[in-house]
Amino acid sequence: MPRFFVDKSQIGEKNIVIVGDDAFHISRSLRMAKGEHITACDGEMFEYDCVLTEFSDTVTAEITQKRPISGEPPFRLTLWQALPKGDKLDSVIQKSVECGAYEIRLFTSEHCIAKTDEKTEEKKSERRNKIAAEAAKQCGRGMIPHVRGAVSFEEMINEAKKAELAIFCYEGDGTVSLSDVLERFSPESIKGKSISLVIGSEGGFSAREAEAAKSAGMIMTGLGPRILRTETAPIFAMGAIITKFEK
């Protein structure tokens, strides 16, 4: 069933009014008709089964059922992703939304090949968030994870360390395996908690950066004996976290 996110102002007691690009998509792209069904989500943990009743510049849908969202993890995981080169970030955004990321935050590090450009950042941000929105619709999320623009490594550390579980993925020495880190917690103990998952770029992290993360109290975590690509590592790690804690 087609899924759409709507603002709470569009939701009435009995009807929901779909506007803008979504209304165009329903009527022109999908060529839907009166009597067909859609799912609308308010982005605040409720979804609505609806039947289409009226078409004009907007689309009106009658609410047939309201229920709590079941597609959200029991914790809030922020993926901190060092900027990768090329179109790798598109895949990271899409798959991390599917895996349940609450938010995706970008940062730069010493070994980043990709660079930020203020002139193109607005368009890039719009495109990245569109990818996140489409992925959220496709996989049945209750909210659209926001993709935030890149900050410095130091800013990332200052924010990421505040999470109740702060994981810094590092391929160097002195790490604890991800499985051992997760064994410290039960699904019940992590419920409602915040998780930071920090992933490096193609070149990983420098020894200086690793030491800064360790000094900040983050858990230095290894992802196994194989070196994972920057676009593989977050999905691997998030898959393990979801498997452990989402019961």
Side-chain angles (χ1 to χ4, degrees):
M1 189 181 299
R3 185 180 189 85
F4 300 90
F5 285 88
V6 297
D7 188 89
K8 291 188 70 173
S9 63
Q10 297 169 238
I11 304 172
E13 185 176 341
K14 296 182 178 180
N15 297 295
I16 293 177
V17 179
I18 312 294
V19 301
D21 291 342
D22 284 340
F24 183 88
H25 186 63
I26 290 171
S27 58
R28 302 295 179 86
S29 300
L30 297 179
R31 298 182 181 277
M32 299 186 77
K34 292 180 180 180
E36 293 192 77
H37 293 262
I38 64 169
T39 299
C41 181
D42 63 10
E44 296 185 9
M45 310 309 292
F46 284 96
E47 64 182 9
Y48 305 78
D49 287 339
C50 304
V51 59
L52 301 177
T53 58
E54 186 178 338
F55 289 79
S56 58
D57 292 336
T58 61
V59 174
T60 302
E62 181 183 348
I63 299 170
T64 59
Q65 184 182 15
K66 175 184 177 180
R67 59 177 175 271
I69 289 290
S70 59
E72 290 301 310
F75 49 81
R76 290 191 171 189
L77 186 149
T78 296
L79 170 63
W80 289 90
Q81 173 70 52
L83 280 174
K85 63 181 181 180
D87 59 359
K88 295 176 183 179
L89 183 56
D90 294 358
S91 178
V92 169
I93 293 170
Q94 182 186 65
K95 301 308 178 185
S96 60
V97 169
E98 292 177 22
C99 286
Y102 175 76
E103 186 177 41
I104 301 157
R105 303 194 65 174
L106 309 176
F107 68 96
T108 57
S109 62
E110 289 183 23
H111 294 165
C112 279
I113 298 172
K115 304 297 181 183
T116 58
D117 184 351
E118 291 185 6
K119 294 180 181 179
T120 60
E121 194 59 28
E122 184 175 345
K123 287 186 177 180
K124 287 181 179 179
S125 179
E126 183 178 337
R127 180 173 177 276
R128 292 163 182 166
N129 280 284
K130 185 174 181 180
I131 292 171
E134 291 302 320
K137 292 176 185 177
Q138 181 274 325
C139 69
R141 292 292 300 271
M143 47 82 70
I144 300 175
H146 188 62
V147 184
R148 299 189 182 277
V151 298
S152 69
F153 179 85
E154 290 72 23
E155 290 174 292
M156 179 277 290
I157 289 293
N158 287 335
E159 288 297 317
K161 71 179 184 181
K162 297 175 183 178
E164 288 153 298
L165 173 56
I167 298 172
F168 187 91
C169 296
Y170 183 54
E171 70 277 12
D173 296 332
T175 63
V176 180
S177 72
L178 179 59
S179 60
D180 285 347
V181 171
L182 300 183
E183 279 301 314
R184 301 174 185 176
F185 304 88
S186 67
E188 189 60 34
S189 70
I190 211 72
K191 188 175 182 180
K193 298 295 194 300
S194 59
I195 300 175
S196 286
L197 176 65
V198 181
I199 303 291
S201 64
E202 290 83 358
F205 294 110
S206 69
R208 182 195 68 81
E209 290 172 329
E211 184 58 36
K214 183 178 179 180
S215 297
M218 303 193 75
I219 302 175
M220 309 303 289
T221 307
L223 299 181
R226 294 164 296 280
I227 301 298
L228 303 180
R229 292 179 180 271
T230 185
E231 67 270 31
T232 306
I235 312 310
F236 177 91
M238 290 181 65
I241 293 169
I242 287 289
T243 300
K244 171 68 177 178
F245 297 134
E246 191 173 66
K247 301 296 184 181

